Amino acid sequence: MKRSFFRNNSILLGLVFLLAVVSLISLQLGSSFISFERMINILVGQGTKSDILIVTKLRLPRIILAINTGIALAVSGLLLQIVIKNPLASPSLFGVVDGAALGAIIFLVLFSSETGNLVFPVEWQPVAAFLGSLLAIFVVFWLTILDGRGLSRLILYGICFSALATALISLLMIIGPIHRASQAFLWLTGSVHAANWQKVVISSSALIITAPIMMLLSSSMKQLMLDEESAQATGLTVKTSLVLMVILATFLTAIAVSFAGAVGFVGLLAPHIARFFTPSHGLILLFITALTGALLVLGADFLGRIAFQPLQIPAGAITAFIGAPYFLFMLRFKNVFHRR
Amino acid sequence: MDTKKAPLTRYEKVNLSYGSTIVFEALNLTLNEGEITMFCGPNGCGKSTALKALRRLLKVRSGIIFHGANPIDDLSDKALAKLMSLLTQKPSAPDDLTVEQLIKMGRFAHLGYLGHFSKKDKEKVAEALSLCHLQNLVHETIGNLSGGQLQRVWLAMIIAQDSPTILLDEPTNHLDITHQIETLELIKKLNEKGRTIIVVMHDLNMAARYADRMILFKDGKVAADGTPEEVMQPSNIRNVFNIDCEIMRDNIYQKPMLIPYKLRPYNDSGNLNG
Amino acid sequence: MPHLTVLEGEDRFYFKLAFCSFFLIILMVASLHFGAEIYTPYEVWNAFWELETEASIIIQTLRVPRMVLAPVTGMALALSGLLLQTVSGNPLASPAFLGVNSGAAFFVLLAFSFFGFTSLWFLSLIAFAGALTAISLVFLLAFSFGASFQQSTLLLAGITLSSFLSSAITILLATNETTLEALLFWLSGSFANRDMSGLIIVVPVLFFSIIVTLIMKSSLDSLLMDDESAKALGLSIFKLRLFFIFLSALLASLAVVLAGPVAFIGLVAPHIAKNYAGLSHLRNIPFCLLFGAHLTLMADIATRILLSPSEAPLSAVLAFIGVPFLVFLLLSKKRGVVG
């Protein structure tokens, strides 16, 4: 028991350290390199105007938004995998992501004037996306309740909603002007390039509000490894915790995709990677999953920014391309994930 | 011996149903503290249902189940778990869980909000491990265990829950005779340490050997209730199971044993004659 | 275990068959009449014998191919869906959910944007390869989780692969606006301006598949049971499954060749057929084919009318029909439909 305690803590510390390093590097690197010295100057208020602008207005919010997005998606994926009891469950299967996409694209297409300008400022796009994801949550939950055969049916109605949303999206993209369609596609890929402090504040506060609930739910998460009757018999209020977990998961996904678009595969990958690091099924797993997710999105965004300069690859593209090899990996090491 | 007879659980006019099929109508039953009570009866007679309702895995349609002084509906899930543990018929957990991890799950109701294990929690887990002879398997994953070992692990989880009352739903099902005896001896040991035990059993002979009190259910009613000697009567068995039989005593424990002879004929409507 | 209605209602079977075939003919004729321009039967009749009039050009070169392509595609998809549902024991299995469409689209995009292939005929071949690759991957993945299929795993594997491929597609499209413009319409599936020459391959394969499935009807029926019972009956389940999966993938991929990615036919048609004609394959295969053809024809007519004079994407129209149907199916309390 002692050994696992140290092991868990060193992994946690290692991940935090890694996250700090990657953050720092991605703060420095980019179209212009900012040295340590200049960074310290900015910190003590001595930096040049352009340095301050680049760091505080462009890179810092982008980094924090990437971290927030990663945490939200990863935790959401973990919760959903536990609720559905299937290691392949991920936030994108519950209609929330496609709902957000639909909202964002309706905004882009409907509020474009003839000349191709937006009638509303683009800052309103996340609001539209959030409304879209709320609609998805509402419809999918309503159908699941109507169905009354348990939460695992969420996934089926999520698929239904996604199909309809995707159809509407393709219809709208064909009706709308072509440059809007390509803008919409960019959104669908998922990227944190349009980060600003407003988004950072909103997404951070959402995470801070939900964090205590997540931590309180962590021991229930562990207990849900058992079948529902046994879990109930050991004292867990199964229904309440399942419902709480799903609501939390969809809310987190909605927050993440509203600001960063449909960054795929983080919710699927992060919990699996985290399980590789720790035998824990509770609080430690939750923390490691969150950190892994943050690292994934931050790393993907950093790579996309640096690797193909001056071209910027959206973070979602990178995470998707990590997803593919992982898929093969799962094929190869199937026994790790095989559950009876 | 007076303490042994103190009533603990009381079903008062309990109606129970699965969907639209009614299992119990106005069930009245009192179970005593410190006894091993065995629920027996044919398939579908409602014995598991009665057990699950007591542990509140099924909501009663009407009526009240008291446990101790309170109706069970007044208690929170955790408070109830501290009073009663239940081993279900087919418990399941991921194969990659270790024995220790699984047994620790039994402590859920006692843990704080963040799931931290206190010294007492660890002691109870260690106690359960040694009681079930699992010390050598602590770090084994449960996917690698045999059926008998697995059943001991689940029992250990229930024991770690450290509740004064233990409910077991067919704990010897699918076990060979060695493991059946092993399990029932363990149950007896727990009873001697002061736990109240309620078991759903199919095997009448095993039930008669270990029970302080046997209850036979039929069609949602109590058909016979009393000591094994009182319940194991040819007339009761014929009434409940529709077989002719002979009751004997074993040489060592002097407990009743049933030797079944043959099935009584079916009546015109396809039901067994009762 | 759902019960098989093999011998009941012999007469009504033929009556129903005749009725549905007749309805197919009506729809095919209707498909000649409706579109951006609506013609009277008289005008249509004349258009066949005239040359160089507007009506004759529209009907002979545009509508006749669609009248043929739509039902063939529909039949192929419907049969493919039926086979998948039977083989996987999953009532939600359908070619689109198992990655056929996104696989095809992904390969076509790759060929188009990196290698500059533009010949429609060649792109069709590429699409076929993509579809087959994707569906094999999905089944491989699902198999790898255990010897027999776990229902939700198959579905999740398909959807996860699809979502990976779609994000790859999205990236390809987002980075290249000209590709987007050229392929956006192909990607949503349509019968407009399609090549009839694909039929040379598709029709014989479809015909062959129908014959084979009808001959092997009793094997298919037994696959509805659980694995062990079917094995006990003496079936080599694994080989049978592999064969039918291949056949199904082949049919779905060929449908992609004809019409691009089309969803929902493979899901909806088999269900209507099973409700209409029972679970015995001898009986529901003919209806499955017919309903597939009906649905596709109706959807094709709708694409022409809905946004007239421009065309609505076929997959969108089908989603508007298919999703409510799917929801209805999921909500229906009937045991054994979607457990």
Side-chain angles (χ1 to χ4, degrees):
Chain A
M1 227 183 277
K2 273 271 153 56
R3 205 186 313 143
S4 73
F5 179 75
F6 280 120
R7 198 184 134 187
N8 285 334
N9 276 354
S10 52
I11 288 170
L12 268 178
L13 277 178
L15 283 173
V16 171
F17 180 70
L18 198 61
L19 192 62
V21 170
V22 177
S23 307
L24 202 65
I25 294 175
S26 59
L27 208 53
Q28 288 186 301
L29 291 181
S31 46
S32 73
F33 175 75
I34 295 175
S35 66
F36 256 120
E37 213 185 319
R38 281 154 75 191
M39 295 270 281
I40 291 165
N41 281 340
I42 296 168
L43 211 61
V44 294
Q46 303 279 308
T48 64
K49 261 211 174 108
S50 72
D51 278 3
I52 292 178
L53 184 79
I54 289 175
V55 170
T56 63
K57 280 267 153 62
L58 296 175
R59 290 192 192 159
L60 198 55
R62 187 170 175 160
I63 288 167
I64 301 178
L65 188 65
I67 292 175
N68 286 350
T69 308
I71 292 176
L73 287 174
V75 171
S76 168
L78 177 66
L79 292 174
L80 292 172
Q81 285 174 12
I82 291 168
V83 172
I84 308 293
K85 289 204 178 220
N86 196 313
L88 284 178
S90 77
S92 57
L93 296 182
F94 291 79
V96 182
V97 176
D98 287 304
L102 183 63
I105 282 154
I106 286 178
F107 176 82
L108 281 177
V109 172
L110 288 193
F111 297 129
S112 285
S113 62
E114 293 293 318
T115 52
N117 293 320
L118 280 171
V119 184
F120 279 104
V122 75
E123 277 75 31
W124 286 90
Q125 194 182 345
V127 179
F130 191 70
L131 288 178
S133 59
L134 280 188
L135 176 74
I137 296 173
F138 179 75
V139 171
V140 172
F141 268 69
W142 176 65
L143 286 171
T144 310
I145 291 166
L146 206 65
D147 181 295
R149 264 172 286 184
L151 281 171
S152 64
R153 311 277 292 180
L154 270 175
I155 222 166
L156 298 175
Y157 295 108
I159 292 166
C160 289
F161 187 89
S162 289
L164 201 61
T166 316
L168 277 170
I169 288 170
S170 74
L171 200 61
L172 283 170
M173 290 205 307
I174 284 173
I175 296 171
I178 191 74
H179 71 276
R180 284 286 171 235
S182 97
Q183 206 176 338
F185 266 114
L186 193 67
W187 192 92
L188 283 176
T189 324
S191 166
V192 286
H193 74 278
N196 58 36
W197 281 108
Q198 196 188 359
K199 292 179 184 176
V200 168
V201 169
I202 297 174
S203 62
S204 303
S205 33
L207 280 183
I208 290 167
I209 292 167
T210 47
I213 312 175
M214 290 191 284
M215 283 158 71
L216 288 181
L217 275 174
S218 66
S219 54
S220 315
M221 280 165 41
K222 197 163 155 187
Q223 215 63 14
L224 281 168
M225 300 266 113
L226 300 176
D227 60 295
E228 287 189 13
E229 282 195 341
S230 302
Q232 182 83 36
T234 52
L236 180 70
T237 314
V238 173
K239 257 191 193 144
T240 313
S241 30
L242 284 179
V243 169
L244 251 177
M245 284 165 79
V246 171
I247 290 175
L248 205 62
T250 41
F251 174 71
L252 286 172
T253 309
I255 289 286
V257 293
S258 301
F259 292 125
V263 183
F265 284 89
V266 177
L268 178 70
L269 282 177
H272 283 296
I273 299 175
R275 285 205 184 94
F276 222 73
F277 280 129
T278 173
S280 151
H281 292 278
L283 196 59
I284 306 288
L285 179 66
L286 183 74
F287 281 141
I288 292 184
T289 303
L291 285 172
T292 312
L295 261 174
L296 273 177
V297 179
L298 183 63
D301 181 50
F302 176 62
L303 270 182
R305 219 150 42 90
I306 299 302
F308 302 98
Q309 271 181 341
L311 206 64
Q312 292 216 355
I313 309 287
I318 310 272
T319 52
F321 275 95
I322 301 170
Y326 186 73
F327 227 66
L328 296 173
F329 168 81
M330 284 223 287
L331 273 176
R332 188 76 192 77
F333 295 96
K334 60 198 178 187
N335 291 332
V336 178
F337 305 104
H338 181 61
R339 282 160 188 217
R340 199 178 283 157
Chain B
M1 285 314 252
D2 275 339
T3 49
K4 248 199 161 181
K5 282 288 172 190
L8 178 67
T9 296
R10 218 163 67 239
Y11 291 76
E12 273 189 10
K13 291 186 188 162
V14 170
N15 286 356
L16 279 168
S17 55
Y18 266 123
S20 56
T21 38
I22 294 163
V23 186
F24 283 110
E25 251 177 305
L27 173 72
N28 288 308
L29 188 64
T30 306
L31 305 174
N32 298 328
E33 193 171 1
E35 283 187 343
I36 299 182
T37 308
M38 301 254 185
F39 288 0
C40 302
N43 293 328
C45 70
K47 51 195 189 306
S48 290
T49 312
L51 197 72
K52 280 183 186 170
L54 173 56
R55 187 52 194 80
R56 210 168 62 192
L57 294 185
L58 276 177
K59 281 254 181 281
V60 293
R61 266 285 164 85
S62 63
I64 307 175
I65 302 178
F66 287 93
H67 186 81
N70 304 313
I72 54 167
D73 283 342
D74 288 1
L75 297 169
S76 73
D77 281 307
K78 279 195 175 180
L80 203 56
K82 284 179 190 167
L83 289 178
M84 283 186 273
S85 53
L86 165 69
L87 181 58
T88 57
Q89 247 180 66
K90 282 183 197 154
S92 76
D95 282 351
D96 54 354
L97 228 54
T98 64
V99 168
E100 189 188 22
Q101 278 178 318
L102 183 59
I103 295 174
K104 280 167 109 180
M105 286 180 153
R107 295 299 297 168
F108 179 76
H110 301 269
L111 303 180
Y113 286 115
L114 290 180
H116 180 72
F117 267 69
S118 70
K119 202 172 173 189
K120 190 185 165 205
D121 291 322
K122 286 173 190 166
E123 277 169 19
K124 290 293 173 191
V125 170
E127 207 180 297
L129 273 168
S130 71
L131 207 57
C132 299
H133 307 292
L134 288 164
Q135 295 97 324
N136 295 331
L137 295 171
V138 176
H139 298 295
E140 195 62 64
T141 56
I142 60 168
N144 292 334
L145 301 181
S146 70
Q149 288 171 327
L150 193 60
Q151 189 66 2
R152 267 192 288 152
V153 175
W154 285 107
L155 272 169
M157 186 189 95
I158 302 301
I159 294 166
Q161 198 169 328
D162 194 32
S163 57
T165 304
I166 295 178
L167 316 179
L168 303 156
D169 197 349
E170 299 189 22
T172 56
N173 224 3
H174 306 300
L175 293 182
D176 61 33
I177 189 82
T178 318
H179 289 103
Q180 285 186 31
I181 299 283
E182 184 186 30
T183 305
L184 288 164
E185 287 292 335
L186 183 63
I187 288 168
K188 201 174 165 200
K189 208 181 203 175
L190 289 168
N191 176 247
E192 281 160 3
K193 288 187 172 184
R195 316 267 183 112
T196 307
I197 293 180
I198 303 165
V199 191
V200 169
M201 281 284 275
H202 258 302
D203 189 329
L204 291 170
N205 288 338
M206 285 292 184
R209 167 86 64 82
Y210 287 95
D212 293 320
R213 177 180 173 195
M214 278 175 81
I215 299 173
L216 286 186
F217 290 100
K218 194 199 177 190
D219 299 334
K221 292 207 165 54
V222 176
D225 181 357
T227 61
E229 288 77 9
E230 290 163 2
V231 169
M232 294 280 272
Q233 301 286 343
S235 58
N236 284 336
I237 302 301
R238 192 167 56 232
N239 175 25
V240 173
F241 292 98
N242 225 51
I243 50 171
D244 289 323
C245 69
E246 189 181 325
I247 305 292
M248 300 165 77
R249 298 272 175 145
D250 71 274
N251 287 332
I252 296 178
Y253 299 97
Q254 295 297 318
K255 292 282 183 188
M257 262 178 63
L258 172 149
I259 298 172
Y261 286 137
K262 76 176 201 222
L263 193 64
R264 292 161 64 79
Y266 283 82
N267 64 20
D268 288 344
S269 53
N271 294 320
L272 291 161
N273 279 323
Chain C
M1 174 64 207
H3 69 286
L4 303 177
T5 50
V6 182
L7 287 170
E8 102 197 8
E10 195 73 26
D11 308 331
R12 279 176 62 212
F13 173 73
Y14 290 109
F15 173 73
K16 282 172 171 177
L17 198 61
F19 175 75
C20 289
S21 311
F22 180 64
F23 189 56
L24 176 63
I25 292 166
I26 290 182
L27 278 176
M28 287 172 79
V29 174
S31 138
L32 291 176
H33 290 72
F34 292 101
E37 204 76 42
I38 296 174
Y39 296 110
T40 61
Y42 176 74
E43 285 170 320
V44 172
W45 178 254
N46 278 341
F48 275 103
W49 316 114
E50 286 166 6
L51 289 169
E52 305 294 324
T53 64
E54 195 198 326
S56 74
I57 290 171
I58 288 180
I59 288 178
Q60 286 182 21
T61 62
L62 297 178
R63 292 198 187 165
V64 168
R66 298 177 78 148
M67 179 190 79
V68 183
L69 283 172
V72 172
T73 312
M75 286 181 179
L77 284 171
L79 186 56
S80 164
L82 180 70
L83 290 179
L84 280 182
Q85 286 171 15
T86 299
V87 164
S88 67
N90 187 335
L92 285 184
S94 79
F97 280 166
L98 298 186
V100 166
N101 289 346
S102 45
F106 180 66
F107 270 46
V108 163
L109 262 177
L110 275 187
F112 188 86
S113 47
F114 286 120
F115 305 106
F117 295 127
T118 46
S119 131
L120 199 62
W121 179 230
F122 192 73
L123 284 181
S124 301
L125 269 183
I126 300 279
F128 176 68
L132 214 53
T133 312
I135 202 168
S136 327
L137 258 177
V138 167
F139 271 92
L140 204 62
L141 188 71
F143 265 128
S144 77
F145 276 89
S148 67
F149 297 102
Q150 199 208 338
Q151 296 206 358
S152 54
T153 305
L154 184 70
L155 205 61
L156 285 180
I159 289 165
T160 312
L161 185 70
S162 297
S163 71
F164 166 68
L165 290 174
S166 342
S167 53
I169 290 167
T170 312
I171 293 155
L172 285 176
L173 289 180
T175 47
N176 191 340
E177 214 166 88
T178 51
T179 320
L180 175 63
E181 200 160 4
L183 286 183
L184 195 52
F185 210 82
W186 188 90
L187 286 173
S188 51
S190 160
F191 293 106
N193 309 317
R194 293 284 170 172
D195 200 349
M196 281 254 272
S197 56
L199 288 175
I200 300 168
I201 296 173
V202 179
V203 170
V205 173
L206 179 64
F207 190 70
F208 166 79
S209 313
I210 295 172
I211 300 293
V212 168
T213 44
L214 283 177
I215 290 173
M216 299 179 74
K217 60 194 184 291
S218 45
S219 311
L220 277 168
D221 286 347
S222 330
L223 280 176
L224 290 172
M225 287 188 277
D226 65 295
D227 284 12
E228 282 177 4
S229 315
K231 260 183 205 150
L233 282 178
L235 276 89
S236 47
I237 305 186
F238 186 76
K239 278 186 203 157
L240 272 177
R241 281 213 168 120
L242 223 54
F243 173 72
F244 286 123
I245 287 169
F246 175 77
L247 199 63
S248 162
L250 186 70
L251 285 168
S253 326
L254 287 172
V256 173
V257 172
L258 291 184
V262 175
F264 283 107
I265 298 282
L267 178 75
V268 175
H271 276 289
I272 308 180
K274 281 187 248 179
N275 273 344
Y276 193 64
L279 286 173
S280 148
H281 286 83
L282 180 61
R283 292 183 176 272
N284 64 26
I285 286 173
F287 289 107
C288 181
L289 294 165
L290 284 170
F291 290 139
H294 292 165
L295 277 173
T296 322
L297 265 170
M298 287 194 275
D300 183 44
I301 295 171
T303 59
R304 288 181 248 165
I305 297 173
L306 221 58
L307 292 183
S308 158
S310 65
E311 290 239 354
L314 182 63
S315 61
V317 171
L318 280 170
F320 294 133
I321 305 171
V323 170
F325 180 84
L326 185 58
V327 170
F328 174 74
L329 191 76
L330 288 170
L331 283 176
S332 75
K333 298 281 181 195
K334 211 165 101 183
R335 274 266 146 244
V337 177
V338 185

